[in-house]
């Protein structure tokens, strides 16, 4: 009998920025369990210890085979550097397919390079749309979905967006949410008491994060949020693990000039999820945190005018509040005195990574 030829080339995962790591870990694990050859490429888009290295051990991710060290820059500079470095990487170590995650600049850069080299592309977390093209992530999402070969989708609304864009249904797979796989796997380690004592918190508290360019890149926008967050801190202690982007501006505008508001460094995954789990209220402009609070059943006020994750509102605990200080104050008051019903969105069951691995092997082959 002639043996079936085995493609020795690896699946290559591209990660670069903090939210990529939690999304990639379950896919890498599930492909590993099937004995599939893999290579992990870190672009270096995020490089601070607290934004990158700290996650690998905790999430049980292998060390990346290579870190391209691309770093920060304007969108043109960063995306250009990413494309140059990724093309060299894919030419030197030919992938059987690449797997890209979410909507960061590393995601779209890898997809563009692979498409032009004729390498199959799988996009995990496809189809999300805020319909706000001023968001860099929206551009990254639309472009990546247009050129990826296989689209792994977290919610029914995202399937509909892809269909509306004329994408062939044969390319789409509704598989669930790998970021939630990671949450459910590590949830037994979440320890509210430990993080509260580490951060000197006692009793009820709220937690917040801010990093979107629309919120922190101008004094005018940031000042409104400082006012809104101070009004929340008037009600209960507020803790902010702050992303490096915008921290300087927010501090200059007096964010930490409130007795009950404290800024801390970005936290590792388990500590941060523990902090969210124990919070009475979360305020954020992050995408992933809208999903994580839905699963944790913690009220989330999203400090944006739109969301690409409406399932967190229809099924979960998320409410779109915007950035007006009066609206933030009123929404916080409401959330603290009412309880929100929440349901788990379909297929957010901890098995998305396994579904993706099974499908990748079948679709791309090994
Ligand atoms: C990126 C993603 C965003 C995601 C966020 C999660 C894009 C377009 N945006 O935004 O979707 O929600 O990651 O964190 O890809 N910086 C550091 N140390 C680091 C990384 C960044 O100091 O390790 C600072 C630098 O000043 C840098 C700035 O943060 O210029 C922005 O970093 P960048 O990777 O360009 O975008 P993020 O705002 O992190």
């Amino acid at each position: 009998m002639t043996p079936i030829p085995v493609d020795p080339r690896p699946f290559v995962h591209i990660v670069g920025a903090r939210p990529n790591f939690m999304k990639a870990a379950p896919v890498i694990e599930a492909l590993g369990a099937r004995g599939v050859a893999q290579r992990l490429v870190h672009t270096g888009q995020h490089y601070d210890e607290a934004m990158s290295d700290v996650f690998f051990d905790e999430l049980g991710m292998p060390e990346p085979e290579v870190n391209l060290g691309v770093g920060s820059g304007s969108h043109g500079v960063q995306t250009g550097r990413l494309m140059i470095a990724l093309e060299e990487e894919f030419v030197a170590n030919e992938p059987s397919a690449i797997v890209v995650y979410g909507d960061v600049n590393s995601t779209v850069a890898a997809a563009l390079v692979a498409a032009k080299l004729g390498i199959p592309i799988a996009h995990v977390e496809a189809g999300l749309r805020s319909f706000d093209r001023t968001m860099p992530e929206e551009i990254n999402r639309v472009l990546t979905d247009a050129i990826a070969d296989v689209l792994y989708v977290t919610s029914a609304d995202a399937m509909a967006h892809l269909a509306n864009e004329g994408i062939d249904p044969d390319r789409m797979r509704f598989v669930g949410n790998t970021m939630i796989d990671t949450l459910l796997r590590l949830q037994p380690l979440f320890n509210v008491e430990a993080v509260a004592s580490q951060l000197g918190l006692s009793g009820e508290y709220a937690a917040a994060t801010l990093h979107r360019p629309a919120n922190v890149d101008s004094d005018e926008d940031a000042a409104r949020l400082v006012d809104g967050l101070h009004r929340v801190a008037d009600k209960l202690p507020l803790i902010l693990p702050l992303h490096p982007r915008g921290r300087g501006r927010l501090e200059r505008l007096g964010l930490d000039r409130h007795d009950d508001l404290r800024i801390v460094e970005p936290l590792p995954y388990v500590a941060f999820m523990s902090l969210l789990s124990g919070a009475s209220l979360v305020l954020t402009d992050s995408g992933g945190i809208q999903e994580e609070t839905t699963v944790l059943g913690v009220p989330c006020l999203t400090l944006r005018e739109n969301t690409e994750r409406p399932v967190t509102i229809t099924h979960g605990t998320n409410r779109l509040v915007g950035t007006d200080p009066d609206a933030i104050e009123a929404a916080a008051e409401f959330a603290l005195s009412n309880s929100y019903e929440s349901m788990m969105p379909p297929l957010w069951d901890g098995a998305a990574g396994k579904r993706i691995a099974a499908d990748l092997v079948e679709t791309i082959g090994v």
Side-chain angles (χ1 to χ4, degrees), residues 19 45-48 51 72 78 104-105 137 211 243-245:
Q45 178 177 342
H46 284 177
Y47 42 84
D48 286 352
M51 297 295 287
S72 302
Q78 188 178 58
V104 303
N105 284 347
E137 293 81 3
H211 76 285
H243 187 290
R245 175 185 207 114

Side-chain angles (χ1 to χ4, degrees), residues 16-20 23 44-52 71-75 78-79 82 102-108 135-138 140-141 211-213 216-217 243-246 285-288:
R18 185 169 56 176
N20 289 159
K23 293 170 194 169
Q45 178 177 342
H46 284 177
Y47 42 84
D48 286 352
E49 163 86 20
M51 297 295 287
S52 176
S72 302
S74 66
H75 283 276
Q78 188 178 58
T79 310
L82 282 160
D103 54 18
V104 303
N105 284 347
S106 299
T107 309
V108 70
M135 284 181 81
E137 293 81 3
E138 183 73 356
N140 296 346
R141 291 188 277 258
H211 76 285
R212 288 272 160 228
V216 302
D217 281 5
H243 187 290
R245 175 185 207 114
D285 58 9
S286 150

Side-chain angles (χ1 to χ4, degrees), residues 8 75-76 87 100 115 163 180 192 202 205 231 255 257 274 293 309 345 352:
H75 283 276
E87 188 176 68
V100 295
I180 301 309
V192 180
S202 59
Y205 64 87
R231 296 201 210 174
L255 180 60
R257 286 202 290 272
S274 304
T293 47
R309 293 165 161 91

Side-chain angles (χ1 to χ4, degrees), residues 273-316:
M273 285 301 125
S274 304
L275 184 75
L276 294 187
S277 307
S280 304
L281 179 64
V282 170
L283 302 102
T284 191
D285 58 9
S286 150
I289 294 172
Q290 297 171 48
E291 298 183 343
E292 288 159 341
T293 47
T294 274
V295 173
L296 295 170
V298 174
C300 176
L301 305 183
T302 293
L303 307 176
R304 290 172 43 189
E305 304 301 333
N306 51 57
T307 178
E308 62 288 335
R309 293 165 161 91
V311 74
T312 59
I313 299 175
T314 54
H315 287 64

